[in-house]
Amino acid sequence: MIAQKPTPPREIAEMSLRLGQRIRSARAARAMTMKQLAAESDISLPYLSRVEKGDGNISLAVLYRIAAALNLPADHLLADDERYGSDYALIAELLKPQSAAQLRDIRQWLVGHLADRHSNDAATRRIALIGLRGAGKSTLGPLIASRLDIPFVELNAEIEKEAGLSLTEIFSIYGQAGFRRLERRCLDRVIGTYPEVVMATGGGIVVEPGTYELLLHSFFSVWLHADPDEHFRRVMAQHDVRIATPQLQKEAMSNIVDALKARQKLYALAHASIDTTHKPIDELAQRAVSLIRESLLTDFPALSAA
């Protein structure tokens, strides 16, 4: 089981204190008095004083004005940079002007540079299937694993086992943050337990940067995708009571389209992708096995017979 989330008022109070400390630190680094910052941000001195003490109940508009007066991006005052030291902020600035293609090359170089050779070898024998619900992960996963003669696991099933609850109950009791903590813990355990495995993931794993980077680093990832109509048809075939009415079905279709649009660039970071739209399962399984064999240049026990 996982620990209960801290209560929101406590989280807000702690965030307000951190924000006040960062504003005070940024002001001090620029040799600005509180009076100068108040004048340049057009905020009253008493209110700024409360903000720096952590009890100003700051709005986004006020945060923006303070950041502008300090010549900082507003998100800099909210980011958790100081725990990583000064180099972190400088590296972030170095990366900002780079193109998307250059950033991908840099990330891949860093992974290769930092990865231990032994763990990197093990990573090439772990396969992760990512993609939206209805992409075919749970259907294709066991077939791929069987043809490679290695285990198959579903990360969501591991999460339910860890919590002793269904996914619906986990989200209801612990919320999104609690689920994501469980997801990371179970991913760590899969990595520690299986040197060879095919793993089907939940569709939203890509939205957690730390968890997704660990997955990309530790697995050969394959993005399974289909057009939105095909996703919806497969979800409907599961007879999910959560989309049992026309209105719920309309919302489900809208959610599929929105999620695919929001996550597409993240899914595209996978090492390979397969379009599963209107294709037979056996053909897709063979395609996946061939792609894995060609990409990894490593022998699995059953590959010669696949």
Side-chain angles (χ1 to χ4, degrees):
M1 301 292 288
I2 55 176
Q4 188 64 271
K5 294 186 298 180
T7 58
R10 179 180 174 183
E11 290 180 347
I12 292 171
E14 291 175 350
M15 182 181 293
S16 296
L17 284 172
R18 290 196 301 270
L19 178 59
Q21 291 167 356
R22 289 171 188 169
I23 292 172
R24 188 164 59 250
S25 176
R27 176 172 60 77
R30 287 154 180 75
M32 294 177 72
T33 66
M34 191 183 297
K35 185 175 181 180
Q36 288 173 323
L37 180 56
E40 293 190 25
S41 60
D42 195 25
I43 296 170
S44 72
L45 187 58
Y47 179 56
L48 180 59
S49 177
R50 293 200 306 274
V51 168
E52 289 198 0
K53 290 176 181 176
D55 61 0
N57 193 24
I58 189 169
S59 68
L60 286 175
V62 170
L63 177 65
Y64 179 82
R65 296 211 302 270
I66 291 175
L70 292 167
N71 194 34
L72 286 171
D75 58 1
H76 181 86
L77 295 174
L78 296 172
D80 193 16
D81 289 356
E82 65 269 8
R83 61 184 284 200
Y84 302 111
S86 301
D87 283 325
Y88 181 86
L90 294 177
I91 291 171
E93 291 301 317
L94 179 66
L95 296 177
K96 285 178 182 178
Q98 310 305 317
S99 68
Q102 288 171 321
L103 286 173
R104 181 168 187 168
D105 289 343
I106 291 169
R107 183 181 63 80
Q108 291 176 340
W109 179 85
L110 281 171
V111 168
H113 180 70
L114 297 174
D116 174 79
R117 180 172 293 275
H118 173 72
S119 63
N120 206 37
D121 288 343
T124 63
R125 301 178 74 84
R126 298 192 197 97
I127 316 300
L129 306 179
I130 67 172
L132 286 181
R133 182 183 177 194
K137 296 169 293 184
S138 298
T139 303
L140 277 173
L143 290 176
I144 296 169
S146 176
R147 295 186 184 200
L148 297 178
D149 195 24
I150 61 177
F152 170 74
V153 300
E154 285 200 78
L155 188 57
N156 280 348
E158 296 298 308
I159 293 169
E160 289 181 326
K161 190 187 306 180
E162 172 82 6
L165 299 166
S166 69
L167 294 183
T168 300
E169 291 170 323
I170 293 170
F171 278 106
S172 175
I173 297 170
Y174 299 112
Q176 178 79 204
F179 173 80
R180 295 304 170 193
R181 288 195 292 269
L182 266 174
E183 181 179 61
R184 175 58 182 264
R185 184 187 305 172
C186 290
L187 179 61
D188 282 332
R189 188 170 66 241
V190 169
I191 293 169
T193 304
Y194 297 97
E196 300 177 340
V197 69
V198 174
M199 180 181 72
T201 68
I205 195 169
V206 299
V207 304
E208 288 293 317
T211 303
Y212 191 33
E213 181 54 51
L214 176 63
L215 182 141
L216 292 174
H217 182 189
S218 305
F219 292 76
F220 179 78
S221 54
V222 182
W223 173 28
L224 302 180
H225 56 92
D227 63 43
D229 288 336
E230 181 75 357
H231 275 289
F232 182 70
R233 184 187 66 77
R234 293 171 183 171
V235 171
M236 284 292 293
Q238 296 171 9
H239 304 293
D240 192 331
V241 296
R242 292 172 296 180
I243 54 172
T245 68
Q247 179 59 36
L248 291 174
Q249 291 166 14
K250 182 179 179 181
E251 292 176 3
M253 183 62 184
S254 178
N255 287 339
I256 288 171
V257 172
D258 291 344
L260 185 58
K261 182 178 179 181
R263 297 174 184 171
Q264 191 158 5
K265 290 183 179 179
L266 293 169
Y267 286 140
L269 294 174
H271 300 100
S273 68
I274 299 176
D275 186 345
T276 65
T277 306
H278 305 314
K279 292 184 175 67
I281 293 299
D282 285 343
E283 177 185 323
L284 288 170
Q286 184 58 47
R287 165 67 178 143
V289 168
S290 298
L291 186 153
I292 291 165
R293 183 181 190 182
E294 293 166 5
S295 299
L296 301 184
L297 300 177
T298 185
D299 289 327
F300 287 87
L303 270 179
S304 58

